Amino acid sequence: TNIAVQVKEGYTVYSCGKNVTDSDKNVITKIFEDMGEYEEVDEQHLDVLTAMAGSSPAYLYTVVEAMIYGALQVGLPRDLALRAAAWSVIGASHLLLSSGKHPAELRDMVVTPGGVTIDAIYALEDGKVRTAFMKAIRDASLKAQRLARDACDEAERQLGKEN
């Protein structure tokens, strides 16, 4: 999950082992339903979802902060820049989830020939923003895998000491 659970807008994923009963799952859903969205996933997806859903608030806050700084650079007041950036992220996210459209299709609805958005997209592509995000997700996923392996190894060592 991520820190958005503080406002009941988190996205929590979980995986259940074969010994988890329906009663156990009911308890799980009762806990998670007050935290936002939740979804049971295959265990193999947990590490990458940690890198995405768990860490993504930090990525998005970095993007929002950059948007605010860009607006400050051309004279927009800070409080207005923050609200504009935050509401833009919220609105875009709601539209993405409700429309069922691919993000590229929605982006292309904003980009007009010779307009301001295409210049912004060009600057983002020139800065390799997509590559940076892809690397961030990959690197965070690999780290999550290492941490999970280390935790399993430690648990096995502890079990070995008890026996």
Side-chain angles (χ1 to χ4, degrees):
T1 193
N2 61 50
I3 65 172
V5 299
Q6 293 179 45
V7 292
K8 300 185 180 200
E9 293 287 341
Y11 178 69
T12 303
V13 295
Y14 64 95
S15 181
C16 294
K18 61 183 175 205
N19 295 327
V20 175
T21 66
D22 286 341
S23 177
D24 295 332
K25 284 187 180 185
N26 287 336
V27 171
I28 291 167
T29 60
K30 289 288 184 210
I31 293 168
F32 288 156
E33 67 187 7
D34 283 336
M35 297 166 40
E37 295 294 319
Y38 59 92
E39 184 173 353
E40 184 176 359
V41 300
D42 289 339
E43 185 176 6
Q44 67 182 356
H45 301 306
L46 290 177
D47 294 327
V48 70
L49 285 165
T50 295
M52 286 189 64
S55 299
S56 64
Y59 312 150
L60 293 174
Y61 296 142
T62 301
V63 169
V64 167
E65 182 183 38
M67 292 169 63
I68 292 168
Y69 285 169
L72 291 174
Q73 192 174 26
V74 293
L76 195 65
R78 184 180 305 272
D79 61 332
L80 181 55
L82 185 144
R83 284 193 310 278
W87 280 109
S88 295
V89 170
I90 290 169
S93 295
H94 281 264
L95 181 58
L96 180 62
L97 289 172
S98 67
S99 72
K101 294 182 179 180
H102 190 278
E105 186 178 356
L106 293 171
R107 182 198 58 226
D108 287 348
M109 292 169 61
V110 180
V111 176
T112 55
V116 297
T117 306
I118 192 61
D119 285 359
I121 296 295
Y122 182 80
L124 290 169
E125 293 293 347
D126 190 48
K128 299 185 180 186
V129 70
R130 241 191 283 225
T131 301
F133 272 100
M134 291 167 69
K135 286 180 178 179
I137 298 295
R138 182 200 62 210
D139 291 354
S141 296
L142 294 173
K143 178 71 173 261
Q145 289 172 2
R146 282 193 304 276
L147 292 173
R149 262 193 321 271
D150 291 350
C152 286
D153 292 347
E154 180 60 25
E156 287 176 8
R157 278 194 292 279
Q158 293 300 322
L159 284 174
K161 287 180 183 178
E162 292 175 7
N163 294 327

